[in-house]
Amino acid sequence: MGMGLGMDETFDAGFFVRWLEAAASAVDREAGRLTELDSAIGDADHGANLKRGFAAVAELLAEEPPATPGAVLVSAGRQLISTVGGASGPLYGTLLRRTGKALGEDRRVGRERLAEAFAVGVAAVSQLGGAQVGDKTMLDALTPAAEALRTSFGAARTAAEEGALATVPLQARKGRASYLGERSIGHQDPGATSSALLFAELAETARAEGAA
Amino acid sequence: MGMGLGMDETFDAGFFVRWLEAAASAVDREAGRLTELDSAIGDADHGANLKRGFAAVAELLAEEPPATPGAVLVSAGRQLISTVGGASGPLYGTLLRRTGKALGEDRRVGRERLAEAFAVGVAAVSQLGGAQVGDKTMLDALTPAAEALRTSFGAARTAAEEGALATVPLQARKGRASYLGERSIGHQDPGATSSALLFAELAETARAEGAA
Amino acid sequence: MKMLINVPETVVADALRGMAAAHPELTVDVERGMVVRRDAPVAGKVALVSGGGSGHEPLHAGFVGPGMLSAACPGAVFTSPVPDQMVRAAAAVDSGAGVLFVIKNYTGDVLNFEMAAELAEDEGVQVAKVLVDDDVAVTDSLYTAGRRGTGGTLFVEKIAGAAAEEGAPLERVEAIARRVSARCRSFGVALSACTTPAKGSPTFELPEGELELGVGIHGEPGRERRGMMTSREIADYAVDAVVEDLRPSGPVLALVNGMGGTPLLELYGFNAEVQRVLSERGIPVARTLVGNYVTSLDMAGCSVTLCEVDEELLRLWDAPVRTPALRWGR
Amino acid sequence: MKMLINVPETVVADALRGMAAAHPELTVDVERGMVVRRDAPVAGKVALVSGGGSGHEPLHAGFVGPGMLSAACPGAVFTSPVPDQMVRAAAAVDSGAGVLFVIKNYTGDVLNFEMAAELAEDEGVQVAKVLVDDDVAVTDSLYTAGRRGTGGTLFVEKIAGAAAEEGAPLERVEAIARRVSARCRSFGVALSACTTPAKGSPTFELPEGELELGVGIHGEPGRERRGMMTSREIADYAVDAVVEDLRPSGPVLALVNGMGGTPLLELYGFNAEVQRVLSERGIPVARTLVGNYVTSLDMAGCSVTLCEVDEELLRLWDAPVRTPALRWGR
Ligand SMILES: Nc1ncnc2c1ncn2[C@@H]1O[C@H](COP(=O)(O)OP(=O)(O)O)[C@@H](O)[C@H]1O
Ligand SMILES: Nc1ncnc2c1ncn2[C@@H]1O[C@H](COP(=O)(O)OP(=O)(O)O)[C@@H](O)[C@H]1O
Ligand SMILES: [Mg+2]
Ligand SMILES: [Mg+2]
Ligand SMILES: [Mg+2]
Ligand SMILES: [Mg+2]
């Protein structure tokens, strides 16, 4: 940690492209597990959905790399909306698109700035899907992660992971798992799990570049 | 054997009704096994087919018992044709109907007379279905049984049983099992098995009445 | 094996009662085991009667109606109907113009329909017969019961039914039916075995990683068993088997048929591969029908039937038909 | 689990290619994921666009044609389509009279269709929406995503489609669609789980002697699991569940729907039981449709949908329809 980089270290568009590429690899690697989780309380497609979407994101970013962090996220969000479908497509798409929009046109952004933007994106997800923390959705990982990102990338990763784990004892009130009623208890939410994966890759990308 | 009954012992309509009732019970009891055999080299319905048919025969004979052996067999044969379907319905129906017709209007018939009539019935089965002994069909049991009936009921029973067993190593050339080609080898033919059952019940019925 | 039934003994009667409720345009005689066009007999029109074991729905009862069958006689599951059914059906639909029996080539069907034909003729009905034996998986030789009748039945019933509807006399309807039957070939593939209500467990064993090439619609085994193949490979194998036997020199009708347990999604995807092979082999496809038409209870799998057509047969194929399962034109 | 596919990734595109070959009367755009009436846009006519995850065939693409849908947008298996598909479909079918989106109530479908509606309106298309949420197995409360859309979709698409075909303006087509949606209720039962190509194994565990009462068409669990029941018992349970919620005071349309893996023979037999219950409950049945219409891949099972109709809705139900899966009238 530290590695000689100060509080006011900033990240350019390339950093976000590398993150999303890492996310695409991670989703590809973990697709089976995500689908398995979705099979228990959903319809067994979450892994396939995100794999398709993030592969399309990686491809798009490789072809037409945007110039700013905000543009990277907006473009990735749009691509998710256009390629994922299901519940997670519009939700993750909105998360990235609104986070990106909140970043504006700056060519470099710092972690705290990013945390604020993420909070905007997470709020948009909550508004779009009508879910709150505790409903056993991706928001259970996203909300604490965005909050913890104010502290560090590592804290965000941990918060997302803990948030995902914390969905296990919950009863789902939104999305497909809500049909299960009490039977949804005891299973980890697939969307919260993929959210944790995204924040893990964000932390990894930051660590590889010497940031915390 | 013998039981004081001579060579010229004769059987009335009641005897044939009792035989067919016993056959109905036997088919009912063995339906699962017959279907199982048909499942291996056919379409898994032989037991159900004969069960339905012989139950209808027993019912008809109980309602309207014909006066002569010939009439019993003709009426039973017609009933099988009208209720069994499949390959075995017309074939067994023809067997009984033609055997019955060959018996004419006599009120009592002897075993040797019956054997001759059965030979006529078996020939009709062969003509209708175009099969010969060795084609792995009911004829492999019926043909030797009709022949051995000239000697005794017990011999007919044994011949039918041996004939049915002898179908195991054969390759089917008629009926549904023929589609299997070489794969039909090693299985006992369901129709030959039910034929053996009929002759076993014939021998039992005769034995119960003191005939051989 | 779970089934949506009461008891095995009543499945066919139950289905007929359910069919009666859903199709007031048909006369369903549950007791006598026959499904008849409500307007039969149609004056001056040749009637078509078919039938066979149940478990292949919508075949045959789903093909009763204007432009196709006049009546269908369902037997017990996988068991041909009894002659009494066909005799009664023939009497119910004959207008005096005669009746064509469409018979799938199975020992049981042939024997029962032949007996019925004799009896119906005794009652003064003129009967002609056509045998459908289109399944190339079986060698047609002295050593077998001959090729089985499968998907080709649909083409024979539709095209001959259209000829009858147009007013063709019995001889001509029979000739057309024979022409179609002679120009139809099929090949079936099973991905899983079917389960009959009476047996309650699969009628044959098909291990997880294997399929049966050349399966019959009663689960009869076919040419060979192989390790699982892709849709592409199955299409290559099945179409080639059909084409090698049929050797069409003109356009064909294609039936890409589901065995009952294969989702329509997969069946349409399989059709894409069938069309690819046909185009690679230079065989023009005039019309394609995709769906579950000649089934084998819950069996997963498919069959391909090709029917070579000339202009007349194609026109008759396109002619209006109004049945529960096939319906087009006006 | 064996499937008739090449690779899971291409099943939907393969199926669309196969559908294009079988249905020259439809325009199938594989690349853009849409199936469109060939004659669209029809001048002055309101267009209907629906769509949803694949795996429920013939829903929705099999319902495209005169008298029903103008276009359908198939998503990946069990995954709602993306907004781009609906936006393009709306543009392709809009004659200027506006477009009705028929949306099954699932989070994914709702979100994607809502995004599409916004985008299409930005492009100058007038969009109305109707939500189908007929599955009574789910409690419609704050604690769930609301009732699911299942068999009722067929009634909404058919009846609103007929109104559009007659020339009704968007407002009226929307009002009729809402009326139908409000008067439809469904209940589904699974005898076996379905297997998605991507997962390759059953999406839920259903032990041999048990069934799932209230299952959804993506294999979502329902009200309860029980030991195996007869067709009669299942009909009692399912029809009562629907009737208790719908409480019809007039005649109904009945859809006795197969989930994909249940043989038509069983489905017709089940219909006999459904009709018995309805008659015992004193509910007159105006029309009955039996078949695999809103499926769940290879799932064995069935669903019952009732739609209470007045004279107008019944007339629109009877109006001509010409689609791959539903076809009647002239
Ligand atoms: N209303 C909602 N708000 C937030 N997240 C949701 C909502 N509904 C579903 N999700 C998330 O989406 C995940 C499911 O995504 P996915 O399986 O791709 O879509 P679908 O449920 O349409 O099949 C769930 O695990 C949950 O985390
Ligand atoms: N051509 C034939 N000649 C004599 N017997 C035959 C012939 N074809 C079939 N069989 C007999 O019929 C039996 C099958 O009867 P069954 O299963 O009831 O009819 P199906 O084959 O129509 O299902 C066979 O085991 C065989 O013994
Ligand atoms: Mg899902
Ligand atoms: Mg048999
Ligand atoms: Mg049989
Ligand atoms: Mg989904």
Side-chain angles (χ1 to χ4, degrees):
Chain A
M1 322 238 166
M3 290 256 193
L5 287 155
M7 287 266 301
D8 43 6
E9 187 206 0
T10 58
F11 305 95
D12 65 0
F15 171 85
F16 288 94
V17 170
R18 285 189 293 281
W19 167 42
L20 291 168
E21 280 167 354
S25 304
V27 162
D28 185 73
R29 200 177 58 230
E30 298 290 327
R33 199 178 124 236
L34 295 174
T35 288
E36 200 56 53
L37 290 172
D38 196 29
S39 158
I41 56 169
D43 59 351
D45 63 357
H46 190 55
N49 288 348
L50 292 192
K51 188 172 153 178
R52 184 175 58 247
F54 276 90
V57 165
E59 199 178 326
L60 178 74
L61 295 178
E63 276 170 20
E64 312 168 14
T68 65
V72 170
L73 295 186
V74 166
S75 155
R78 285 220 183 107
Q79 183 74 329
L80 288 181
I81 291 173
S82 291
T83 57
V84 174
S88 58
L91 292 168
Y92 273 129
T94 297
L95 173 72
L96 296 191
R97 215 169 62 87
R98 295 298 286 276
T99 301
K101 274 192 160 180
L103 288 179
E105 318 235 306
D106 294 0
R107 301 193 74 88
R108 305 192 66 95
V109 298
R111 180 177 44 70
E112 295 198 1
R113 176 82 195 290
L114 181 62
E116 274 166 43
F118 256 121
V120 173
V122 171
V125 169
S126 169
Q127 213 209 337
L128 180 66
Q132 311 294 333
V133 167
D135 285 349
K136 196 175 183 121
T137 70
M138 55 173 70
L139 284 169
D140 290 333
L142 292 178
T143 308
E147 179 60 36
L149 188 57
R150 294 181 203 279
T151 310
S152 72
F153 285 106
R157 173 196 196 141
T158 307
E161 220 149 76
E162 287 173 0
L165 277 171
T167 61
V168 174
L170 296 176
Q171 174 168 341
R173 282 193 292 230
K174 289 286 165 190
R176 215 175 277 282
S178 70
Y179 305 136
L180 277 152
E182 290 183 358
R183 290 198 265 175
S184 64
I185 293 172
H187 298 275
Q188 186 166 322
D189 179 63
T193 309
S194 56
S195 290
L197 210 60
L198 298 187
F199 274 93
E201 293 306 318
L202 181 62
E204 277 306 310
T205 309
R207 203 177 56 90
E209 315 208 350
Chain B
M1 321 238 169
M3 290 262 193
L5 287 155
M7 288 265 301
D8 42 6
E9 188 206 356
T10 57
F11 306 95
D12 65 358
F15 171 85
F16 288 93
V17 170
R18 287 190 292 281
W19 167 41
L20 291 169
E21 281 168 354
S25 307
V27 162
D28 185 73
R29 198 176 60 231
E30 299 290 328
R33 198 178 125 237
L34 294 174
T35 289
E36 200 56 55
L37 288 174
D38 196 30
S39 158
I41 56 169
D43 58 351
D45 62 358
H46 189 55
N49 287 348
L50 291 192
K51 188 172 155 178
R52 181 174 63 246
F54 277 91
V57 165
E59 199 178 324
L60 178 75
L61 295 178
E63 275 170 21
E64 312 168 16
T68 65
V72 170
L73 295 187
V74 167
S75 153
R78 285 218 184 106
Q79 185 74 328
L80 288 181
I81 292 173
S82 291
T83 57
V84 174
S88 58
L91 291 169
Y92 273 130
T94 296
L95 173 72
L96 296 191
R97 214 169 62 88
R98 295 298 286 277
T99 301
K101 272 191 163 184
L103 288 179
E105 317 234 306
D106 295 1
R107 300 194 75 86
R108 304 192 68 93
V109 297
R111 179 178 43 72
E112 294 198 2
R113 177 79 196 289
L114 180 62
E116 271 165 45
F118 255 122
V120 173
V122 171
V125 169
S126 169
Q127 215 209 338
L128 180 65
Q132 312 293 334
V133 168
D135 286 350
K136 193 172 185 130
T137 71
M138 56 173 68
L139 284 170
D140 291 333
L142 293 178
T143 309
E147 178 61 36
L149 188 56
R150 293 177 204 280
T151 310
S152 72
F153 285 106
R157 172 195 198 143
T158 308
E161 220 148 76
E162 286 173 358
L165 278 173
T167 62
V168 174
L170 295 177
Q171 173 168 339
R173 281 192 294 229
K174 289 287 163 188
R176 214 175 278 282
S178 70
Y179 305 137
L180 278 151
E182 289 181 0
R183 289 199 264 175
S184 64
I185 292 171
H187 300 276
Q188 186 166 323
D189 179 63
T193 309
S194 55
S195 290
L197 210 62
L198 298 188
F199 274 94
E201 293 307 318
L202 181 63
E204 276 307 311
T205 310
R207 205 177 55 90
E209 315 209 349
Chain C
M1 192 62 204
K2 288 169 276 184
M3 293 182 183
L4 185 58
I5 63 172
N6 288 319
V7 290
E9 289 71 21
T10 64
V11 282
V12 175
D14 290 348
L16 286 177
R17 287 189 297 122
M19 202 175 181
H23 297 288
E25 75 277 17
L26 301 175
T27 304
V28 179
D29 188 331
V30 181
E31 202 54 50
R32 296 172 169 192
M34 60 191 202
V35 176
V36 183
R37 249 178 93 151
R38 187 164 283 280
D39 60 354
V42 179
K45 183 186 143 337
V46 168
L48 271 79
V49 172
S50 191
S54 291
H56 309 301
E57 289 66 29
L59 182 84
H60 299 268
F63 298 147
V64 174
M68 213 159 165
L69 293 180
S70 311
C73 304
V77 172
F78 288 179
T79 301
S80 78
V82 299
D84 312 49
Q85 291 172 264
M86 285 76 91
V87 172
R88 285 191 193 115
V93 299
D94 183 32
S95 68
V99 178
L100 176 70
F101 282 179
V102 181
I103 311 168
K104 300 198 298 301
N105 189 34
Y106 297 96
T107 306
D109 293 71
V110 170
L111 296 180
N112 285 284
F113 268 95
E114 272 175 2
M115 286 194 166
E118 274 181 42
L119 294 166
E121 280 179 338
D122 285 356
E123 293 182 11
V125 178
Q126 203 189 338
V127 178
K129 293 173 289 188
V130 59
L131 199 67
V132 186
D133 60 343
D134 54 322
D135 186 346
V136 300
V138 176
T139 320
D140 194 12
S141 81
L142 275 177
Y143 304 107
T144 67
R147 286 197 315 243
R148 301 175 289 228
T150 63
T153 320
L154 183 151
F155 289 119
V156 173
E157 293 178 356
K158 168 66 184 79
I159 294 174
E165 204 72 41
E166 283 188 1
L170 183 57
E171 257 180 19
R172 174 127 191 79
V173 174
E174 179 189 354
I176 285 175
R178 284 181 197 272
R179 219 160 93 211
V180 175
S181 179
R183 302 309 296 148
C184 277
R185 294 291 185 281
S186 295
F187 191 84
V189 177
L191 273 61
S192 77
C194 52
T195 298
T196 61
K199 181 154 188 277
S201 59
T203 55
F204 60 99
E205 288 302 321
L206 195 49
E208 183 48 31
E210 296 182 20
L211 45 68
E212 180 81 36
L213 293 162
V215 79
I217 56 172
H218 308 85
E220 305 98 330
R223 287 198 183 165
E224 55 170 322
R225 208 163 262 201
R226 281 220 193 155
M228 193 49 200
M229 293 158 71
T230 62
S231 168
R232 183 185 181 87
E233 291 163 343
I234 295 172
D236 281 330
Y237 193 108
V239 174
D240 280 344
V242 169
V243 166
E244 266 160 35
D245 200 289
L246 182 64
R247 303 200 170 278
S249 58
V252 298
L253 310 175
L255 167 63
V256 174
N257 177 62
M259 289 295 191
T262 287
L264 203 50
L265 182 73
E266 295 179 23
L267 218 51
Y268 271 120
F270 179 62
N271 180 44
E273 296 296 345
V274 168
Q275 303 287 329
R276 174 192 53 76
V277 191
L278 288 170
S279 123
E280 285 171 8
R281 301 287 176 275
I283 299 166
V285 184
R287 303 286 183 272
T288 299
L289 187 66
V290 178
N292 291 286
Y293 292 104
V294 181
T295 63
S296 184
L297 293 169
D298 61 338
M299 186 190 283
C302 59
S303 65
V304 176
T305 304
L306 300 181
C307 176
E308 188 180 359
V309 286
D310 52 29
E311 266 178 39
E312 182 184 31
L313 298 186
L314 183 57
R315 181 181 61 73
L316 291 168
W317 173 255
D318 285 340
V321 59
R322 291 173 71 87
T323 71
L326 272 198
R327 209 177 254 261
W328 59 69
R330 50 187 51 226
Chain D
M1 192 61 200
K2 287 168 278 184
M3 292 182 182
L4 185 57
I5 62 171
N6 287 318
V7 291
E9 289 71 21
T10 63
V11 283
V12 175
D14 289 348
L16 287 177
R17 287 189 298 122
M19 202 176 180
H23 297 288
E25 74 276 17
L26 302 174
T27 304
V28 179
D29 189 331
V30 181
E31 202 54 48
R32 294 168 171 198
M34 61 190 203
V35 176
V36 183
R37 246 177 97 152
R38 186 164 284 280
D39 60 355
V42 178
K45 182 186 146 331
V46 167
L48 272 80
V49 172
S50 190
S54 291
H56 310 300
E57 289 66 29
L59 181 85
H60 300 267
F63 298 147
V64 174
M68 213 160 165
L69 294 181
S70 312
C73 304
V77 172
F78 288 0
T79 301
S80 79
V82 300
D84 312 48
Q85 292 171 264
M86 284 77 89
V87 172
R88 285 192 193 116
V93 298
D94 182 32
S95 68
V99 177
L100 177 71
F101 281 179
V102 181
I103 311 169
K104 302 199 298 299
N105 189 35
Y106 298 95
T107 307
D109 293 72
V110 170
L111 295 179
N112 285 285
F113 268 94
E114 272 175 2
M115 287 194 165
E118 275 182 42
L119 294 166
E121 279 176 341
D122 285 356
E123 294 184 9
V125 178
Q126 202 188 339
V127 178
K129 290 173 289 186
V130 59
L131 199 67
V132 185
D133 60 343
D134 54 321
D135 187 346
V136 300
V138 175
T139 321
D140 195 11
S141 81
L142 274 178
Y143 303 106
T144 67
R147 286 198 313 244
R148 302 175 288 228
T150 63
T153 319
L154 184 150
F155 290 119
V156 174
E157 293 177 357
K158 169 64 185 80
I159 294 174
E165 204 71 40
E166 283 187 359
L170 183 57
E171 257 180 19
R172 174 128 191 79
V173 174
E174 179 188 354
I176 285 176
R178 284 181 197 272
R179 218 160 93 212
V180 175
S181 180
R183 301 310 296 149
C184 278
R185 295 292 186 280
S186 296
F187 191 84
V189 177
L191 273 61
S192 77
C194 52
T195 299
T196 60
K199 179 152 190 281
S201 59
T203 55
F204 59 100
E205 289 300 322
L206 194 48
E208 183 48 33
E210 295 181 19
L211 44 68
E212 180 80 36
L213 293 161
V215 79
I217 55 171
H218 308 86
E220 304 98 332
R223 287 199 181 165
E224 56 171 323
R225 206 163 263 201
R226 280 218 191 157
M228 194 49 201
M229 294 159 72
T230 62
S231 167
R232 184 184 182 89
E233 291 163 344
I234 294 172
D236 281 329
Y237 193 109
V239 173
D240 279 344
V242 169
V243 166
E244 266 160 36
D245 200 290
L246 182 64
R247 303 199 173 279
S249 59
V252 298
L253 309 176
L255 168 63
V256 175
N257 176 61
M259 289 294 191
T262 286
L264 201 51
L265 182 74
E266 295 178 23
L267 218 52
Y268 270 120
F270 179 63
N271 180 45
E273 297 296 343
V274 168
Q275 302 288 329
R276 174 191 53 77
V277 191
L278 287 169
S279 124
E280 284 170 10
R281 303 287 175 275
I283 299 165
V285 184
R287 303 286 183 272
T288 300
L289 187 65
V290 179
N292 291 286
Y293 292 104
V294 182
T295 63
S296 185
L297 291 170
D298 60 337
M299 187 191 281
C302 57
S303 65
V304 176
T305 304
L306 299 181
C307 176
E308 187 179 0
V309 286
D310 52 28
E311 266 177 40
E312 182 185 31
L313 298 186
L314 183 57
R315 183 181 60 74
L316 291 170
W317 172 255
D318 285 340
V321 58
R322 290 173 72 86
T323 71
L326 272 197
R327 207 178 255 262
W328 58 68
R330 50 186 51 227

